[in-house]
Amino acid sequence: MLKNRIAYILVLIILALFRIAYTGYVAGMLLVIALILPIFSWLISLPGAIYTRTTLSAPDQVSRGSEATVKLTIRQSRLFSTGAVRGKLYSTDTVTGKTKKTRLKVAYGGFALNTEHCCQYQLQLKRLRIYDFMGLFPLPVKKLPPLQVSVVPFPSEPPEHPDWSDNSMLIARPFSGGGNPYDLREYRVGDTMRSIHWKKSAAMDKTVVRDTLEPVERIASIWIDWPEDPSGRDLALDQLAWCIIYLNQNNAGILLQWLDADGRRQSIYGPPGEIDTVIDQMLAQKAGRHCPASVLRPYEILLSAGNGGGTAS
């Protein structure tokens, strides 16, 4: 640490002046001891630093407005003494991109996260180091992996429920014959002779096979406002949380769409039975723009603060 190093240099200067003014045995020995002492301190503290175990812990998810604390646990050997532990905790809100930096000596007993609004934090402890007994030299410490904490919304029913009746997606299955719609692709090893489309193969001068296109029903297409305003995002996310529960109960999937900061359409697809992670995926996206009603198709709905759903924090 800087103050320890300054104090040590001042002591060396005083002892050097004392050695110049007084050429006796005592002055020389004091100067030699002062020069050797940092090496001795480093050697004594090195095993303690090697056996030190640090753990950064935090909840994976927390409801908006609840308490969330990031804790750093340090376990050291009782046989070997070390100096102070220093580092910086960086918490980055992935939606806004803002980063807060906290020194370890402030957050040593626990660092409280701001859960006023829905967001996702990326937590990283950087420049973690243990000093020797005298506090002059940093010692090696194992790097800690980053953590992720999601501040999730409260489900709130939107004015309009998701509708999947007019929206189905087609997926390719092995050819099953009959009058089902199909798609063409080149022959691959393992394809049956029955799936070969002989007329198209002759016309295209290559072997092509048919894949049956089977409809996958119950895919609700939903737009969400994703503005810079955190309160607006909270209200829209409250409605999204309700929709996910509703879609799960009806074994339906989701196609979630929004506009990014440049006005480009972005989307997240969650098939039926696999939509519980959609909110976490959405919280990892940077803030974008309000979504105009003009982009909606007849069977699509818009989740926004203007719908009046949700409860602001």
Side-chain angles (χ1 to χ4, degrees):
M1 293 177 288
L2 182 60
K3 63 179 182 180
N4 295 51
R5 293 170 182 171
I6 293 174
Y8 176 70
I9 292 173
L10 290 176
V11 170
L12 283 183
I13 293 174
I14 293 172
L15 291 177
L17 294 175
F18 180 58
R19 178 65 179 85
I20 294 172
Y22 179 69
T23 57
Y25 174 79
V26 175
M29 284 299 298
L30 289 175
L31 184 58
V32 171
I33 291 173
L35 292 172
I36 296 176
L37 196 58
I39 300 175
F40 178 76
S41 173
W42 189 86
L43 292 174
I44 289 294
S45 301
L46 181 60
I50 293 175
Y51 287 103
T52 295
R53 297 293 180 265
T54 55
T55 305
L56 191 65
S57 61
D60 294 333
Q61 280 191 352
V62 61
S63 297
R64 186 175 73 241
S66 302
E67 293 184 1
T69 303
V70 184
K71 294 183 179 180
L72 178 68
T73 304
I74 301 176
R75 297 179 180 177
Q76 295 181 295
S77 171
R78 297 181 180 181
L79 299 177
F80 304 98
S81 299
T82 60
V85 180
R86 291 290 181 265
K88 294 179 181 178
L89 182 65
Y90 290 81
S91 57
T92 303
D93 184 338
T94 55
V95 178
T96 62
K98 296 180 179 179
T99 299
K100 181 179 179 181
K101 179 176 65 176
T102 306
R103 294 183 182 275
L104 179 59
K105 61 181 180 180
V106 176
Y108 194 89
F111 170 63
L113 293 175
N114 181 9
T115 62
E116 182 181 0
H117 298 289
C118 295
C119 65
Q120 188 177 83
Y121 287 108
Q122 297 289 341
L123 305 173
Q124 178 71 65
L125 191 58
K126 298 182 179 180
R127 300 182 65 185
L128 180 63
R129 53 200 184 277
I130 300 177
Y131 283 90
D132 65 292
F133 186 71
M134 294 181 63
L136 299 178
F137 305 108
L139 299 166
V141 183
K142 185 178 179 181
K143 187 177 180 180
L144 296 178
L147 294 180
Q148 179 177 294
V149 179
S150 297
V151 182
V152 296
F154 296 101
S156 179
E157 184 176 1
E160 188 177 359
H161 292 184
D163 177 19
W164 52 80
S165 58
D166 294 329
N167 188 31
S168 63
M169 302 179 67
L170 298 177
I171 61 172
R173 300 288 191 190
F175 182 67
S176 59
N180 296 323
Y182 60 84
D183 193 13
L184 297 177
R185 62 170 174 80
E186 289 194 29
Y187 176 85
R188 292 195 294 259
V189 177
D191 291 330
T192 63
M193 297 293 291
R194 182 167 170 262
S195 66
I196 298 177
H197 196 302
W198 297 106
K199 290 184 179 180
K200 291 291 184 180
S201 297
M204 300 173 65
D205 197 23
K206 62 180 179 180
T207 304
V208 295
V209 298
R210 290 169 287 192
D211 273 339
T212 300
L213 296 178
E214 296 183 1
V216 180
E217 301 292 343
R218 298 183 181 276
I219 301 296
S221 183
I222 299 175
W223 284 84
I224 185 171
D225 263 349
W226 202 238
E228 292 283 349
D229 172 36
S231 297
R233 292 196 304 269
D234 290 344
L235 294 172
L237 285 169
D238 288 346
Q239 297 172 55
L240 176 61
W242 187 95
C243 288
I244 288 176
I245 297 173
Y246 176 74
L247 294 174
N248 269 328
Q249 292 173 346
N250 289 274
N251 194 30
I254 185 174
L255 179 63
L256 184 63
Q257 304 170 85
W258 73 98
L259 298 179
D260 63 16
D262 297 322
R264 294 190 296 261
R265 173 186 172 273
Q266 304 294 334
S267 65
I268 295 174
Y269 171 63
E274 302 178 19
I275 63 176
D276 290 333
T277 62
V278 167
I279 288 182
D280 278 342
Q281 295 180 59
M282 195 66 216
L283 289 174
Q285 310 300 322
K286 291 188 178 298
R289 295 184 179 181
H290 285 284
C291 176
S294 59
V295 304
L296 300 180
R297 289 179 286 184
Y299 55 85
E300 295 177 331
I301 66 171
L302 172 63
L303 308 179
S304 68
N307 285 339
T311 302
S313 295

